[in-house]
């Protein structure tokens, strides 16, 4: 037994040197590849010091250097230098043990024209070296997290530049998530920076373009997060941005919030219907919501129609779906009736029905039957139907639906004339 152990031990001992030998080899290889941006920084700084404030020349220098220097590896260093003049330590301070340059964004003049010229430098660089795209976006995200480490003027310039880059589509609006960082929000740095950024963005593009970019990355509903939780209200947001001269942003956020509230409301209505809640309770709930959220009856009838139509699985066969729809709508007509007290709401409902039957192809032939049902259930008046028929209809499927309604409309007109002549006889 003891012999076995000692043989085992001596085997172990012999193997040891080879292990360390191999390890040493890999170490040596690592050494050669060691990440060392100092040489890189020297080259870039030297080039920038030579070209000075001529940004055309800077763009040319960067273009040419890409062939000689490892941009892919030192992307972060490259962007740090172009923005701050040297490599940034965590928190946003310059590493002072290396040569820095005065010719960078942070030392440039604080005006839109200069910032546009800088945006061009980045734009050209990234167009030329496409692989820098992702690194550049990461850099902007990082710089936003470092905002507290920068001076007010440096922040302003960064905000203006970021706005221009967003407008040009050089970076995605997802970078705004950095501004939701707890420390930046708590100290009021985020909203202040956002104001400058949006002003710059809106000087290049209109609010619809800004909104589209925000929506694309799901930032449209997150702007409230620029404020701490206790100030995260539509009122506070609206006042802050309106006072800063950005009414478009405050209107946009308000609108987003009401769209959000409407979506939730529709979902809630669908749930109540699916659970088979009594109609009188649903009506009471809707009345409450109208009061609470200041929603117009026209908006509400649209939501109710959508909820009623979404709360059921429709038959795929055209001939069966009409029957199913009539049965379903008969059941819910008291709910529709409760929120069509105004002529305008009736018209809104008619247009929603037209749109629905047009968008859901197997409902195309059901339009007239649905309208007649709702007329009999006292949801739609003849005035509303005639107004829709004569002038207020939509273009969607117009010829099909007007043709379907022709006989019924003639019947309505005749009935109207008859009742008028009866009244004259009575007089």
């Amino acid at each position: 037994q003891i012999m076995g152990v000692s043989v085992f031990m001596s085997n172990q001992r012999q193997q040891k040197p080879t292990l360390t030998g191999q390890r040493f080899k890999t170490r040596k290889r690592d050494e050669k590849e060691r990440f060392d941006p100092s040489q890189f920084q020297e080259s870039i700084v030297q080039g920038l010091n030579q070209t000075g404030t001529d940004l055309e020349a800077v763009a040319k220098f960067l273009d040419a250097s890409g062939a000689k220097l490892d941009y892919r590896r030192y992307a972060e260093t490259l962007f740090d230098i172009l923005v701050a003049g040297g490599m940034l330590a965590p928190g946003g301070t310059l590493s002072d043990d290396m040569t820095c340059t005065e010719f960078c964004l942070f030392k440039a003049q604080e005006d839109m024209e200069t910032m546009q010229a800088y945006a061009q430098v980045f734009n050209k660089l990234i167009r030329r070296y496409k692989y820098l795209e992702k690194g550049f976006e990461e850099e902007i995200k990082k710089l936003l997290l470092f905002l507290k480490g920068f001076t007010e003027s440096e922040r302003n310039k960064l905000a203006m530049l970021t706005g221009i880059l967003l407008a040009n589509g050089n970076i995605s609006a997802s970078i705004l998530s950095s501004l939701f960082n707890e420390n930046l929000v708590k100290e009021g740095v985020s909203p202040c920076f956002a104001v400058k950024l949006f002003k710059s963005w809106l000087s290049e593009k209109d609010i619809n373009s800004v909104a589209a970019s925000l929506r694309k990355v799901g930032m449209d509903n997150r702007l409230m997060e620029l404020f701490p939780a206790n100030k995260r209200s539509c009122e506070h947001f609206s006042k802050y941005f309106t006072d800063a001269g950005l009414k478009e942003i405050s209107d946009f956020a308000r609108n987003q919030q009401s769209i959000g509230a409407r979506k939730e409301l529709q979902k809630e209505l669908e749930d109540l219907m699916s659970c088979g809640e009594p109609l009188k309770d649903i009506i009471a709930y809707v009345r409450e919501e109208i009061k609470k959220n200041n929603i117009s009856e026209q908006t509400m009838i649209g939501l109710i129609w959508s909820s009623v139509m979404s709360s059921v699985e429709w038959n795929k066969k055209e001939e069966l779906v009409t029957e199913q729809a009539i049965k379903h709508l008969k059941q819910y007509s008291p709910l529709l009736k409760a929120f069509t007290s105004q002529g305008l709401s009736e018209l809104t409902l008619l247009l929603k029905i037209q749109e629905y039957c047009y968008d859901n192809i197997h409902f195309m032939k059901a339009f007239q039957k649905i309208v007649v049902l709702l007329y009999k259930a006292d949801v739609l008046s003849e005035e509303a139907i005639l107004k829709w028929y004569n002038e207020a209809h939509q273009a969607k499927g117009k010829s099909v639906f007007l043709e379907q309604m022709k006989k019924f409309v003639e019947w309505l007109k005749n009935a109207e004339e008859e009742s008028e002549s009866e009244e004259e006889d009575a007089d």
Side-chain angles (χ1 to χ4, degrees):
Q1 191 64 43
I2 293 168
M3 274 293 287
V5 171
S6 64
V7 169
F8 174 68
M9 293 291 284
S10 63
N11 275 350
Q12 282 290 82
R13 232 171 283 142
Q14 282 162 352
Q15 280 170 343
K16 261 189 182 154
T18 60
L19 276 175
T20 48
Q22 283 170 334
R23 205 180 297 149
F24 186 64
K25 266 190 211 149
T26 52
R27 272 218 191 117
K28 238 178 166 164
R29 193 172 69 233
D30 287 348
E31 196 109 76
K32 200 172 81 221
E33 285 290 319
R34 212 182 70 217
F35 182 72
D36 179 21
S38 51
Q39 193 78 50
F40 181 86
Q41 175 156 337
E42 285 296 333
S43 313
I44 297 288
V45 164
Q46 197 184 347
L48 290 175
N49 286 343
Q50 279 164 2
T51 51
T53 50
D54 178 2
L55 293 181
E56 289 280 323
V58 168
K60 283 199 181 100
F61 155 69
L62 292 171
D63 194 310
S65 302
K68 304 193 280 284
L69 299 171
D70 193 349
Y71 278 180
R72 196 182 288 272
R73 191 139 201 245
Y74 297 113
E76 189 179 359
T77 309
L78 173 65
F79 293 132
D80 274 1
I81 299 167
L82 292 174
V83 171
M87 264 194 307
L88 290 168
T93 49
L94 272 176
S95 314
D96 41 11
D97 51 346
M98 277 148 80
T99 342
C100 292
T101 177
E102 290 291 300
F103 302 107
C104 61
L105 180 86
F106 279 176
K107 296 281 195 280
Q109 257 181 288
E110 191 185 315
D111 59 61
M112 272 303 272
E113 211 175 318
T114 312
M115 294 306 108
Q116 272 159 338
Y118 264 93
Q120 270 312 307
V121 171
F122 288 113
N123 192 6
K124 282 178 187 162
L125 178 62
I126 288 158
R127 271 220 309 264
R128 176 80 172 80
Y129 298 103
K130 199 86 174 109
Y131 57 78
L132 287 174
E133 224 167 29
K134 191 163 172 19
F136 185 51
E137 213 158 270
E138 290 305 313
E139 174 75 12
I140 299 282
K141 275 187 184 164
K142 178 191 81 174
L143 290 171
L144 298 191
L145 290 175
F146 289 174
L147 284 177
K148 277 163 64 181
F150 304 146
T151 66
E152 193 184 343
S153 171
E154 287 168 351
R155 283 183 209 165
N156 290 347
K157 285 179 258 198
L158 187 57
M160 287 151 92
L161 176 81
T162 309
I164 297 164
L165 293 168
L166 283 161
N168 295 342
N170 297 122
I171 50 174
S172 130
S174 59
I175 55 109
L176 295 173
S177 61
S178 288
L179 292 178
F180 306 145
N181 170 282
E182 206 181 333
N183 291 321
L184 296 176
V185 169
K186 204 167 62 191
E187 301 199 15
V189 175
S190 297
C192 190
F193 185 85
V195 162
K196 292 264 186 317
L197 179 150
F198 280 121
K199 279 193 171 161
S200 156
W201 193 348
L202 284 163
S203 71
E204 303 277 308
K205 289 274 195 286
D206 66 0
I207 187 69
N208 296 331
S209 165
V210 172
S213 301
L214 292 171
R215 267 192 208 106
K216 199 169 159 194
V217 291
M219 281 287 156
D220 47 339
N221 293 318
R222 293 192 62 190
L223 295 181
M224 298 281 167
E225 294 173 46
L226 292 165
F227 296 100
N230 60 348
K231 290 182 176 164
R232 214 168 278 171
S233 72
C234 205
E235 281 56 52
H236 182 78
F237 185 97
S238 198
K239 184 170 170 19
Y240 187 93
F241 278 87
T242 307
D243 290 351
L246 281 168
K247 190 169 178 329
E248 304 105 311
I249 295 291
S250 101
D251 288 347
F252 169 72
R254 197 176 274 277
N255 191 33
Q256 284 305 111
Q257 189 143 30
S258 65
I259 291 171
R262 274 181 241 159
K263 276 187 186 148
E264 275 171 38
L265 178 58
Q266 188 175 325
K267 172 106 191 46
E268 182 59 31
L269 277 173
E270 282 168 33
D271 292 348
L272 291 173
M273 289 173 198
S274 305
C275 299
E277 279 293 311
L279 283 186
K280 64 174 193 337
D281 295 349
I282 298 181
I283 291 171
Y285 166 73
V286 172
R287 290 219 162 100
E288 197 52 44
E289 288 294 317
I290 282 187
K291 256 210 320 259
K292 198 168 77 189
N293 292 310
N294 200 8
I295 303 176
S296 70
E297 195 183 72
Q298 286 78 54
T299 303
M300 195 44 112
I301 194 64
L303 285 179
I304 293 172
W305 168 261
S306 300
S307 306
V308 167
M309 297 310 271
S310 309
S311 66
V312 70
E313 280 286 318
W314 292 111
N315 202 304
K316 293 283 178 279
K317 292 201 171 79
E318 195 176 303
E319 57 277 14
L320 297 175
V321 87
T322 305
E323 226 174 289
Q324 189 190 1
I326 295 302
K327 210 168 137 189
H328 181 63
L329 287 167
K330 208 176 210 149
Q331 185 192 341
Y332 282 104
S333 58
L335 176 61
L336 295 166
K337 187 183 174 185
F339 300 99
T340 43
S341 66
Q342 304 159 6
L344 204 49
S345 314
E346 292 180 42
L347 258 184
T348 306
L349 177 58
L350 268 164
L351 291 170
K352 286 282 175 200
I353 300 170
Q354 180 182 351
E355 205 172 304
Y356 188 88
C357 291
Y358 179 80
D359 290 340
N360 299 279
I361 196 78
H362 43 296
F363 273 86
M364 276 305 254
K365 290 185 178 159
F367 180 77
Q368 185 260 357
K369 290 195 170 70
I370 292 174
V371 175
V372 172
L373 167 83
L374 295 178
Y375 168 74
K376 287 181 181 161
D378 209 13
V379 175
L380 297 172
S381 64
E382 60 185 270
E383 291 85 37
I385 296 172
L386 292 173
K387 191 171 174 56
W388 171 86
Y389 185 84
N390 293 325
E391 55 184 285
H393 50 260
Q394 282 188 356
K396 288 183 168 182
K398 162 178 124 173
S399 53
V400 177
F401 298 136
L402 291 179
E403 183 56 42
Q404 273 183 38
M405 292 295 292
K406 208 167 150 185
K407 281 200 171 109
F408 183 65
V409 166
E410 276 167 17
W411 177 82
L412 277 181
K413 282 182 180 159
N414 290 335
E416 199 176 7
E417 281 161 17
E418 272 170 30
S419 67
E420 275 172 15
S421 62
E422 274 170 24
E423 276 169 26
E424 277 166 18
D425 292 347
D427 288 348

